[in-house]
mmCIF file of all heavy atoms in Angstrom:
data_model
loop_
_atom_site.group_PDB
_atom_site.id
_atom_site.type_symbol
_atom_site.label_atom_id
_atom_site.label_comp_id
_atom_site.label_asym_id
_atom_site.label_seq_id
_atom_site.Cartn_x
_atom_site.Cartn_y
_atom_site.Cartn_z
ATOM 1 N N PHE A 2 18.800 -23.555 -140.054
ATOM 2 C CA PHE A 2 19.158 -24.210 -138.792
ATOM 3 C C PHE A 2 18.509 -25.595 -138.703
ATOM 4 O O PHE A 2 19.161 -26.586 -138.339
ATOM 5 C CB PHE A 2 18.702 -23.365 -137.602
ATOM 6 C CG PHE A 2 19.444 -22.067 -137.437
ATOM 7 C CD1 PHE A 2 18.893 -21.019 -136.710
ATOM 8 C CD2 PHE A 2 20.682 -21.867 -138.009
ATOM 9 C CE1 PHE A 2 19.564 -19.823 -136.544
ATOM 10 C CE2 PHE A 2 21.374 -20.673 -137.861
ATOM 11 C CZ PHE A 2 20.803 -19.646 -137.127
ATOM 12 N N SER A 3 17.224 -25.674 -139.027
ATOM 13 C CA SER A 3 16.515 -26.951 -138.948
ATOM 14 C C SER A 3 17.080 -27.956 -139.947
ATOM 15 O O SER A 3 17.229 -29.142 -139.632
ATOM 16 C CB SER A 3 15.020 -26.735 -139.206
ATOM 17 O OG SER A 3 14.448 -25.913 -138.214
ATOM 18 N N MET A 4 17.382 -27.483 -141.161
ATOM 19 C CA MET A 4 17.940 -28.372 -142.175
ATOM 20 C C MET A 4 19.302 -28.901 -141.739
ATOM 21 O O MET A 4 19.611 -30.088 -141.917
ATOM 22 C CB MET A 4 18.070 -27.631 -143.506
ATOM 23 C CG MET A 4 18.607 -28.486 -144.652
ATOM 24 S SD MET A 4 17.392 -29.663 -145.267
ATOM 25 C CE MET A 4 16.335 -28.583 -146.224
ATOM 26 N N ALA A 5 20.126 -28.038 -141.151
ATOM 27 C CA ALA A 5 21.445 -28.461 -140.686
ATOM 28 C C ALA A 5 21.320 -29.499 -139.574
ATOM 29 O O ALA A 5 22.050 -30.498 -139.553
ATOM 30 C CB ALA A 5 22.247 -27.256 -140.199
ATOM 31 N N ARG A 6 20.395 -29.282 -138.640
ATOM 32 C CA ARG A 6 20.217 -30.251 -137.553
ATOM 33 C C ARG A 6 19.776 -31.601 -138.101
ATOM 34 O O ARG A 6 20.301 -32.648 -137.698
ATOM 35 C CB ARG A 6 19.182 -29.746 -136.542
ATOM 36 C CG ARG A 6 18.877 -30.781 -135.456
ATOM 37 C CD ARG A 6 18.047 -30.233 -134.317
ATOM 38 N NE ARG A 6 16.699 -29.885 -134.718
ATOM 39 C CZ ARG A 6 15.739 -29.513 -133.872
ATOM 40 N NH1 ARG A 6 16.019 -29.430 -132.574
ATOM 41 N NH2 ARG A 6 14.538 -29.197 -134.301
ATOM 42 N N ALA A 7 18.826 -31.603 -139.047
ATOM 43 C CA ALA A 7 18.375 -32.866 -139.623
ATOM 44 C C ALA A 7 19.508 -33.562 -140.369
ATOM 45 O O ALA A 7 19.648 -34.786 -140.303
ATOM 46 C CB ALA A 7 17.191 -32.620 -140.562
ATOM 47 N N ALA A 8 20.337 -32.781 -141.091
ATOM 48 C CA ALA A 8 21.461 -33.369 -141.819
ATOM 49 C C ALA A 8 22.475 -33.984 -140.858
ATOM 50 O O ALA A 8 23.037 -35.052 -141.124
ATOM 51 C CB ALA A 8 22.126 -32.314 -142.699
ATOM 52 N N ILE A 9 22.718 -33.321 -139.735
ATOM 53 C CA ILE A 9 23.627 -33.870 -138.719
ATOM 54 C C ILE A 9 23.053 -35.171 -138.164
ATOM 55 O O ILE A 9 23.753 -36.179 -138.041
ATOM 56 C CB ILE A 9 23.848 -32.852 -137.582
ATOM 57 C CG1 ILE A 9 24.636 -31.635 -138.100
ATOM 58 C CG2 ILE A 9 24.593 -33.479 -136.413
ATOM 59 C CD1 ILE A 9 24.643 -30.466 -137.139
ATOM 60 N N GLN A 10 21.773 -35.155 -137.852
ATOM 61 C CA GLN A 10 21.135 -36.332 -137.285
ATOM 62 C C GLN A 10 21.187 -37.526 -138.241
ATOM 63 O O GLN A 10 21.305 -38.672 -137.811
ATOM 64 C CB GLN A 10 19.673 -36.032 -136.954
ATOM 65 C CG GLN A 10 19.490 -35.049 -135.802
ATOM 66 C CD GLN A 10 19.778 -35.711 -134.473
ATOM 67 O OE1 GLN A 10 20.918 -36.011 -134.178
ATOM 68 N NE2 GLN A 10 18.743 -35.936 -133.688
ATOM 69 N N LEU A 11 21.092 -37.251 -139.533
ATOM 70 C CA LEU A 11 21.105 -38.320 -140.527
ATOM 71 C C LEU A 11 22.516 -38.700 -140.952
ATOM 72 O O LEU A 11 22.697 -39.494 -141.865
ATOM 73 C CB LEU A 11 20.280 -37.898 -141.749
ATOM 74 C CG LEU A 11 18.771 -37.779 -141.502
ATOM 75 C CD1 LEU A 11 18.080 -37.140 -142.689
ATOM 76 C CD2 LEU A 11 18.158 -39.136 -141.198
ATOM 77 N N GLY A 12 23.517 -38.120 -140.304
ATOM 78 C CA GLY A 12 24.893 -38.494 -140.581
ATOM 79 C C GLY A 12 25.473 -37.864 -141.828
ATOM 80 O O GLY A 12 26.460 -38.362 -142.379
ATOM 81 N N LEU A 13 24.903 -36.747 -142.289
ATOM 82 C CA LEU A 13 25.377 -36.103 -143.509
ATOM 83 C C LEU A 13 26.335 -34.954 -143.238
ATOM 84 O O LEU A 13 26.993 -34.475 -144.163
ATOM 85 C CB LEU A 13 24.181 -35.589 -144.325
ATOM 86 C CG LEU A 13 23.160 -36.654 -144.761
ATOM 87 C CD1 LEU A 13 21.979 -35.996 -145.447
ATOM 88 C CD2 LEU A 13 23.810 -37.691 -145.647
ATOM 89 N N LEU A 14 26.398 -34.496 -142.010
ATOM 90 C CA LEU A 14 27.293 -33.402 -141.625
ATOM 91 C C LEU A 14 27.940 -33.737 -140.285
ATOM 92 O O LEU A 14 27.355 -34.471 -139.471
ATOM 93 C CB LEU A 14 26.527 -32.082 -141.502
ATOM 94 C CG LEU A 14 26.089 -31.383 -142.793
ATOM 95 C CD1 LEU A 14 25.252 -30.151 -142.471
ATOM 96 C CD2 LEU A 14 27.281 -30.998 -143.659
ATOM 97 N N PRO A 15 29.123 -33.188 -140.028
ATOM 98 C CA PRO A 15 29.757 -33.404 -138.720
ATOM 99 C C PRO A 15 28.986 -32.682 -137.618
ATOM 100 O O PRO A 15 28.133 -31.824 -137.886
ATOM 101 C CB PRO A 15 31.160 -32.818 -138.901
ATOM 102 C CG PRO A 15 31.039 -31.843 -140.016
ATOM 103 C CD PRO A 15 29.983 -32.394 -140.932
ATOM 104 N N ARG A 16 29.311 -33.032 -136.372
ATOM 105 C CA ARG A 16 28.649 -32.398 -135.234
ATOM 106 C C ARG A 16 28.859 -30.889 -135.254
ATOM 107 O O ARG A 16 29.931 -30.403 -135.565
ATOM 108 C CB ARG A 16 29.226 -32.929 -133.915
ATOM 109 C CG ARG A 16 29.013 -34.386 -133.649
ATOM 110 C CD ARG A 16 29.496 -34.714 -132.238
ATOM 111 N NE ARG A 16 30.821 -34.194 -131.966
ATOM 112 C CZ ARG A 16 31.944 -34.887 -132.076
ATOM 113 N NH1 ARG A 16 31.897 -36.135 -132.482
ATOM 114 N NH2 ARG A 16 33.106 -34.353 -131.782
ATOM 115 N N MET A 17 27.802 -30.172 -134.921
ATOM 116 C CA MET A 17 27.887 -28.730 -134.699
ATOM 117 C C MET A 17 27.148 -28.409 -133.407
ATOM 118 O O MET A 17 26.151 -29.058 -133.080
ATOM 119 C CB MET A 17 27.292 -27.951 -135.874
ATOM 120 C CG MET A 17 28.185 -27.914 -137.097
ATOM 121 S SD MET A 17 27.504 -26.943 -138.458
ATOM 122 C CE MET A 17 26.537 -28.208 -139.292
ATOM 123 N N ARG A 18 27.626 -27.415 -132.708
ATOM 124 C CA ARG A 18 27.007 -27.052 -131.434
ATOM 125 C C ARG A 18 25.629 -26.445 -131.698
ATOM 126 O O ARG A 18 25.491 -25.466 -132.425
ATOM 127 C CB ARG A 18 27.890 -26.065 -130.681
ATOM 128 C CG ARG A 18 27.349 -25.661 -129.316
ATOM 129 C CD ARG A 18 28.363 -24.787 -128.579
ATOM 130 N NE ARG A 18 27.826 -24.240 -127.353
ATOM 131 C CZ ARG A 18 27.717 -24.900 -126.213
ATOM 132 N NH1 ARG A 18 28.109 -26.152 -126.149
ATOM 133 N NH2 ARG A 18 27.230 -24.328 -125.129
ATOM 134 N N ILE A 19 24.617 -27.046 -131.097
ATOM 135 C CA ILE A 19 23.235 -26.600 -131.265
ATOM 136 C C ILE A 19 22.701 -26.122 -129.924
ATOM 137 O O ILE A 19 22.812 -26.827 -128.925
ATOM 138 C CB ILE A 19 22.345 -27.737 -131.814
ATOM 139 C CG1 ILE A 19 22.854 -28.183 -133.189
ATOM 140 C CG2 ILE A 19 20.897 -27.293 -131.903
ATOM 141 C CD1 ILE A 19 22.094 -29.359 -133.764
ATOM 142 N N ARG A 20 22.147 -24.949 -129.929
ATOM 143 C CA ARG A 20 21.636 -24.389 -128.673
ATOM 144 C C ARG A 20 20.156 -24.048 -128.827
ATOM 145 O O ARG A 20 19.753 -23.408 -129.798
ATOM 146 C CB ARG A 20 22.414 -23.128 -128.305
ATOM 147 C CG ARG A 20 21.974 -22.516 -126.977
ATOM 148 C CD ARG A 20 23.065 -21.616 -126.414
ATOM 149 N NE ARG A 20 23.372 -20.498 -127.273
ATOM 150 C CZ ARG A 20 22.675 -19.356 -127.300
ATOM 151 N NH1 ARG A 20 21.629 -19.212 -126.526
ATOM 152 N NH2 ARG A 20 23.038 -18.367 -128.097
ATOM 153 N N HIS A 21 19.364 -24.476 -127.866
ATOM 154 C CA HIS A 21 17.947 -24.127 -127.863
ATOM 155 C C HIS A 21 17.783 -22.702 -127.341
ATOM 156 O O HIS A 21 18.345 -22.335 -126.317
ATOM 157 C CB HIS A 21 17.146 -25.090 -126.993
ATOM 158 C CG HIS A 21 16.917 -26.417 -127.639
ATOM 159 N ND1 HIS A 21 15.957 -26.621 -128.596
ATOM 160 C CD2 HIS A 21 17.557 -27.606 -127.491
ATOM 161 C CE1 HIS A 21 16.002 -27.877 -128.999
ATOM 162 N NE2 HIS A 21 16.963 -28.489 -128.341
ATOM 163 N N THR A 22 16.966 -21.925 -128.045
ATOM 164 C CA THR A 22 16.723 -20.546 -127.628
ATOM 165 C C THR A 22 15.376 -20.394 -126.930
ATOM 166 O O THR A 22 15.013 -19.295 -126.529
ATOM 167 C CB THR A 22 16.781 -19.603 -128.844
ATOM 168 O OG1 THR A 22 15.830 -20.042 -129.827
ATOM 169 C CG2 THR A 22 18.171 -19.618 -129.456
ATOM 170 N N ALA A 23 14.637 -21.494 -126.818
ATOM 171 C CA ALA A 23 13.369 -21.489 -126.079
ATOM 172 C C ALA A 23 13.241 -22.841 -125.391
ATOM 173 O O ALA A 23 13.453 -23.883 -126.010
ATOM 174 C CB ALA A 23 12.185 -21.244 -127.011
ATOM 175 N N HIS A 24 12.880 -22.835 -124.122
ATOM 176 C CA HIS A 24 12.825 -24.071 -123.345
ATOM 177 C C HIS A 24 11.571 -24.889 -123.614
ATOM 178 O O HIS A 24 11.481 -26.036 -123.191
ATOM 179 C CB HIS A 24 12.911 -23.759 -121.850
ATOM 180 C CG HIS A 24 14.246 -23.210 -121.443
ATOM 181 N ND1 HIS A 24 15.404 -23.941 -121.509
ATOM 182 C CD2 HIS A 24 14.601 -21.973 -120.987
ATOM 183 C CE1 HIS A 24 16.430 -23.198 -121.100
ATOM 184 N NE2 HIS A 24 15.966 -22.001 -120.781
ATOM 185 N N ASP A 25 10.595 -24.306 -124.325
ATOM 186 C CA ASP A 25 9.350 -25.031 -124.548
ATOM 187 C C ASP A 25 9.058 -25.269 -126.021
ATOM 188 O O ASP A 25 7.974 -25.693 -126.377
ATOM 189 C CB ASP A 25 8.175 -24.271 -123.913
ATOM 190 C CG ASP A 25 8.052 -22.852 -124.461
ATOM 191 O OD1 ASP A 25 8.989 -22.394 -125.155
ATOM 192 O OD2 ASP A 25 7.014 -22.212 -124.216
ATOM 193 N N GLN A 26 10.028 -24.982 -126.905
ATOM 194 C CA GLN A 26 9.825 -25.197 -128.331
ATOM 195 C C GLN A 26 11.059 -25.856 -128.925
ATOM 196 O O GLN A 26 12.141 -25.273 -128.926
ATOM 197 C CB GLN A 26 9.550 -23.868 -129.064
ATOM 198 C CG GLN A 26 8.225 -23.221 -128.722
ATOM 199 C CD GLN A 26 7.049 -24.018 -129.254
ATOM 200 O OE1 GLN A 26 7.120 -24.648 -130.304
ATOM 201 N NE2 GLN A 26 5.954 -24.019 -128.512
ATOM 202 N N SER A 27 10.892 -27.076 -129.457
ATOM 203 C CA SER A 27 12.034 -27.797 -130.012
ATOM 204 C C SER A 27 12.536 -27.175 -131.299
ATOM 205 O O SER A 27 13.691 -27.353 -131.675
ATOM 206 C CB SER A 27 11.635 -29.253 -130.275
ATOM 207 O OG SER A 27 10.624 -29.317 -131.271
ATOM 208 N N GLY A 28 11.664 -26.443 -132.024
ATOM 209 C CA GLY A 28 12.076 -25.899 -133.313
ATOM 210 C C GLY A 28 12.917 -24.649 -133.230
ATOM 211 O O GLY A 28 13.550 -24.272 -134.220
ATOM 212 N N GLN A 29 12.933 -23.997 -132.075
ATOM 213 C CA GLN A 29 13.692 -22.751 -131.955
ATOM 214 C C GLN A 29 15.107 -23.076 -131.495
ATOM 215 O O GLN A 29 15.377 -23.234 -130.309
ATOM 216 C CB GLN A 29 12.993 -21.797 -130.991
ATOM 217 C CG GLN A 29 11.663 -21.282 -131.525
ATOM 218 C CD GLN A 29 11.079 -20.181 -130.668
ATOM 219 O OE1 GLN A 29 11.788 -19.491 -129.940
ATOM 220 N NE2 GLN A 29 9.772 -20.010 -130.748
ATOM 221 N N ILE A 30 16.002 -23.163 -132.467
ATOM 222 C CA ILE A 30 17.389 -23.519 -132.197
ATOM 223 C C ILE A 30 18.314 -22.506 -132.837
ATOM 224 O O ILE A 30 17.903 -21.706 -133.688
ATOM 225 C CB ILE A 30 17.723 -24.936 -132.722
ATOM 226 C CG1 ILE A 30 17.477 -25.013 -134.225
ATOM 227 C CG2 ILE A 30 16.930 -25.987 -131.966
ATOM 228 C CD1 ILE A 30 17.910 -26.328 -134.853
ATOM 229 N N TYR A 31 19.558 -22.552 -132.418
ATOM 230 C CA TYR A 31 20.583 -21.654 -132.954
ATOM 231 C C TYR A 31 21.856 -22.449 -133.176
ATOM 232 O O TYR A 31 22.315 -23.173 -132.287
ATOM 233 C CB TYR A 31 20.848 -20.500 -131.980
ATOM 234 C CG TYR A 31 22.049 -19.652 -132.350
ATOM 235 C CD1 TYR A 31 21.993 -18.770 -133.417
ATOM 236 C CD2 TYR A 31 23.240 -19.745 -131.621
ATOM 237 C CE1 TYR A 31 23.091 -17.996 -133.761
ATOM 238 C CE2 TYR A 31 24.339 -18.972 -131.956
ATOM 239 C CZ TYR A 31 24.262 -18.097 -133.027
ATOM 240 O OH TYR A 31 25.346 -17.339 -133.369
ATOM 241 N N ILE A 32 22.401 -22.372 -134.381
ATOM 242 C CA ILE A 32 23.659 -23.032 -134.712
ATOM 243 C C ILE A 32 24.624 -21.951 -135.163
ATOM 244 O O ILE A 32 24.515 -21.406 -136.272
ATOM 245 C CB ILE A 32 23.475 -24.093 -135.816
ATOM 246 C CG1 ILE A 32 22.389 -25.093 -135.423
ATOM 247 C CG2 ILE A 32 24.789 -24.826 -136.084
ATOM 248 C CD1 ILE A 32 22.106 -26.140 -136.472
ATOM 249 N N GLY A 33 25.562 -21.615 -134.304
ATOM 250 C CA GLY A 33 26.453 -20.495 -134.561
ATOM 251 C C GLY A 33 27.232 -20.638 -135.853
ATOM 252 O O GLY A 33 27.370 -19.669 -136.623
ATOM 253 N N ALA A 34 27.768 -21.827 -136.130
ATOM 254 C CA ALA A 34 28.565 -22.022 -137.333
ATOM 255 C C ALA A 34 27.752 -21.728 -138.586
ATOM 256 O O ALA A 34 28.216 -21.055 -139.519
ATOM 257 C CB ALA A 34 29.109 -23.453 -137.374
ATOM 258 N N VAL A 35 26.508 -22.205 -138.617
ATOM 259 C CA VAL A 35 25.639 -21.958 -139.769
ATOM 260 C C VAL A 35 25.292 -20.475 -139.859
ATOM 261 O O VAL A 35 25.299 -19.878 -140.947
ATOM 262 C CB VAL A 35 24.359 -22.808 -139.662
ATOM 263 C CG1 VAL A 35 23.370 -22.455 -140.769
ATOM 264 C CG2 VAL A 35 24.703 -24.289 -139.714
ATOM 265 N N ASN A 36 24.993 -19.858 -138.729
ATOM 266 C CA ASN A 36 24.586 -18.453 -138.704
ATOM 267 C C ASN A 36 25.663 -17.539 -139.289
ATOM 268 O O ASN A 36 25.387 -16.707 -140.162
ATOM 269 C CB ASN A 36 24.267 -18.042 -137.269
ATOM 270 C CG ASN A 36 23.722 -16.634 -137.170
ATOM 271 O OD1 ASN A 36 22.631 -16.340 -137.652
ATOM 272 N ND2 ASN A 36 24.490 -15.742 -136.555
ATOM 273 N N TRP A 37 26.899 -17.701 -138.827
ATOM 274 C CA TRP A 37 27.950 -16.769 -139.252
ATOM 275 C C TRP A 37 28.401 -17.036 -140.687
ATOM 276 O O TRP A 37 28.719 -16.091 -141.429
ATOM 277 C CB TRP A 37 29.126 -16.826 -138.283
ATOM 278 C CG TRP A 37 28.731 -16.462 -136.886
ATOM 279 C CD1 TRP A 37 28.834 -17.221 -135.761
ATOM 280 C CD2 TRP A 37 28.111 -15.230 -136.460
ATOM 281 N NE1 TRP A 37 28.333 -16.563 -134.678
ATOM 282 C CE2 TRP A 37 27.888 -15.335 -135.062
ATOM 283 C CE3 TRP A 37 27.728 -14.066 -137.110
ATOM 284 C CZ2 TRP A 37 27.297 -14.320 -134.326
ATOM 285 C CZ3 TRP A 37 27.134 -13.052 -136.374
ATOM 286 C CH2 TRP A 37 26.924 -13.173 -134.996
ATOM 287 N N MET A 38 28.411 -18.303 -141.104
ATOM 288 C CA MET A 38 28.735 -18.583 -142.505
ATOM 289 C C MET A 38 27.656 -18.025 -143.433
ATOM 290 O O MET A 38 27.956 -17.466 -144.500
ATOM 291 C CB MET A 38 28.909 -20.082 -142.722
ATOM 292 C CG MET A 38 30.210 -20.634 -142.178
ATOM 293 S SD MET A 38 30.535 -22.340 -142.688
ATOM 294 C CE MET A 38 29.293 -23.212 -141.739
ATOM 295 N N LEU A 39 26.418 -18.164 -143.017
ATOM 296 C CA LEU A 39 25.318 -17.637 -143.822
ATOM 297 C C LEU A 39 25.369 -16.118 -143.886
ATOM 298 O O LEU A 39 25.161 -15.519 -144.955
ATOM 299 C CB LEU A 39 23.988 -18.102 -143.224
ATOM 300 C CG LEU A 39 22.746 -18.022 -144.114
ATOM 301 C CD1 LEU A 39 22.951 -18.778 -145.404
ATOM 302 C CD2 LEU A 39 21.538 -18.571 -143.352
ATOM 303 N N MET A 40 25.662 -15.462 -142.764
ATOM 304 C CA MET A 40 25.764 -14.005 -142.758
ATOM 305 C C MET A 40 26.870 -13.523 -143.689
ATOM 306 O O MET A 40 26.681 -12.555 -144.456
ATOM 307 C CB MET A 40 26.025 -13.491 -141.341
ATOM 308 C CG MET A 40 25.991 -11.969 -141.266
ATOM 309 S SD MET A 40 26.471 -11.288 -139.651
ATOM 310 C CE MET A 40 28.248 -11.344 -139.803
ATOM 311 N N ALA A 41 28.021 -14.186 -143.654
ATOM 312 C CA ALA A 41 29.128 -13.799 -144.530
ATOM 313 C C ALA A 41 28.723 -13.922 -145.994
ATOM 314 O O ALA A 41 29.003 -13.034 -146.814
ATOM 315 C CB ALA A 41 30.355 -14.660 -144.238
ATOM 316 N N GLY A 42 28.027 -15.005 -146.326
ATOM 317 C CA GLY A 42 27.591 -15.190 -147.703
ATOM 318 C C GLY A 42 26.569 -14.160 -148.136
ATOM 319 O O GLY A 42 26.644 -13.620 -149.251
ATOM 320 N N VAL A 43 25.615 -13.851 -147.272
ATOM 321 C CA VAL A 43 24.571 -12.877 -147.600
ATOM 322 C C VAL A 43 25.168 -11.485 -147.805
ATOM 323 O O VAL A 43 24.850 -10.788 -148.790
ATOM 324 C CB VAL A 43 23.494 -12.859 -146.497
ATOM 325 C CG1 VAL A 43 22.554 -11.675 -146.686
ATOM 326 C CG2 VAL A 43 22.712 -14.160 -146.498
ATOM 327 N N LEU A 44 26.024 -11.050 -146.908
ATOM 328 C CA LEU A 44 26.636 -9.721 -147.039
ATOM 329 C C LEU A 44 27.513 -9.635 -148.283
ATOM 330 O O LEU A 44 27.548 -8.593 -148.965
ATOM 331 C CB LEU A 44 27.449 -9.391 -145.788
ATOM 332 C CG LEU A 44 26.636 -9.149 -144.509
ATOM 333 C CD1 LEU A 44 27.560 -8.888 -143.328
ATOM 334 C CD2 LEU A 44 25.665 -7.982 -144.692
ATOM 335 N N TRP A 45 28.216 -10.721 -148.591
ATOM 336 C CA TRP A 45 29.032 -10.715 -149.808
ATOM 337 C C TRP A 45 28.148 -10.558 -151.044
ATOM 338 O O TRP A 45 28.478 -9.812 -151.978
ATOM 339 C CB TRP A 45 29.846 -12.004 -149.911
ATOM 340 C CG TRP A 45 30.657 -12.057 -151.171
ATOM 341 C CD1 TRP A 45 31.855 -11.466 -151.410
ATOM 342 C CD2 TRP A 45 30.289 -12.725 -152.388
ATOM 343 N NE1 TRP A 45 32.276 -11.722 -152.691
ATOM 344 C CE2 TRP A 45 31.337 -12.497 -153.319
ATOM 345 C CE3 TRP A 45 29.211 -13.502 -152.771
ATOM 346 C CZ2 TRP A 45 31.311 -13.011 -154.611
ATOM 347 C CZ3 TRP A 45 29.173 -14.016 -154.063
ATOM 348 C CH2 TRP A 45 30.214 -13.774 -154.957
ATOM 349 N N LEU A 46 27.009 -11.241 -151.062
ATOM 350 C CA LEU A 46 26.096 -11.129 -152.201
ATOM 351 C C LEU A 46 25.561 -9.707 -152.346
ATOM 352 O O LEU A 46 25.468 -9.176 -153.460
ATOM 353 C CB LEU A 46 24.929 -12.110 -152.030
ATOM 354 C CG LEU A 46 25.257 -13.588 -152.245
ATOM 355 C CD1 LEU A 46 24.093 -14.456 -151.802
ATOM 356 C CD2 LEU A 46 25.588 -13.856 -153.707
ATOM 357 N N VAL A 47 25.204 -9.086 -151.219
ATOM 358 C CA VAL A 47 24.689 -7.713 -151.260
ATOM 359 C C VAL A 47 25.728 -6.761 -151.826
ATOM 360 O O VAL A 47 25.439 -5.933 -152.709
ATOM 361 C CB VAL A 47 24.252 -7.265 -149.850
ATOM 362 C CG1 VAL A 47 24.002 -5.760 -149.816
ATOM 363 C CG2 VAL A 47 23.006 -8.026 -149.414
ATOM 364 N N LEU A 48 26.965 -6.872 -151.354
ATOM 365 C CA LEU A 48 28.011 -5.956 -151.793
ATOM 366 C C LEU A 48 28.490 -6.265 -153.208
ATOM 367 O O LEU A 48 28.900 -5.357 -153.943
ATOM 368 C CB LEU A 48 29.198 -6.019 -150.820
ATOM 369 C CG LEU A 48 28.876 -5.590 -149.382
ATOM 370 C CD1 LEU A 48 30.100 -5.770 -148.487
ATOM 371 C CD2 LEU A 48 28.407 -4.139 -149.347
ATOM 372 N N ALA A 49 28.415 -7.529 -153.612
ATOM 373 C CA ALA A 49 28.894 -7.898 -154.945
ATOM 374 C C ALA A 49 27.887 -7.555 -156.032
ATOM 375 O O ALA A 49 28.267 -7.060 -157.102
ATOM 376 C CB ALA A 49 29.215 -9.396 -154.984
#
């Protein structure tokens, strides 16, 4: 999540919706697109 946000900020990736999951910590973020793509890849690796 942090790497994706930095890449977006540096103009290396298109905008993605970023949501903070804690109001007092900037590092706790959630990016749905990254989360679900990563989950699909991880489960495929486990089953393959």
Side-chain angles (χ1 to χ4, degrees):
F2 292 159
S3 297
M4 182 74 76
R6 175 170 67 173
I9 292 168
Q10 292 285 71
L11 292 171
L13 301 175
L14 286 176
R16 296 187 311 264
M17 284 182 272
R18 182 174 173 79
I19 299 176
R20 182 159 62 83
H21 284 281
T22 57
H24 293 294
D25 58 349
Q26 292 291 327
S27 64
Q29 292 189 23
I30 59 174
Y31 171 74
I32 306 178
V35 174
N36 185 66
W37 300 121
M38 285 190 290
L39 198 56
M40 186 186 82
V43 169
L44 291 178
W45 178 81
L46 287 170
V47 168
L48 298 177

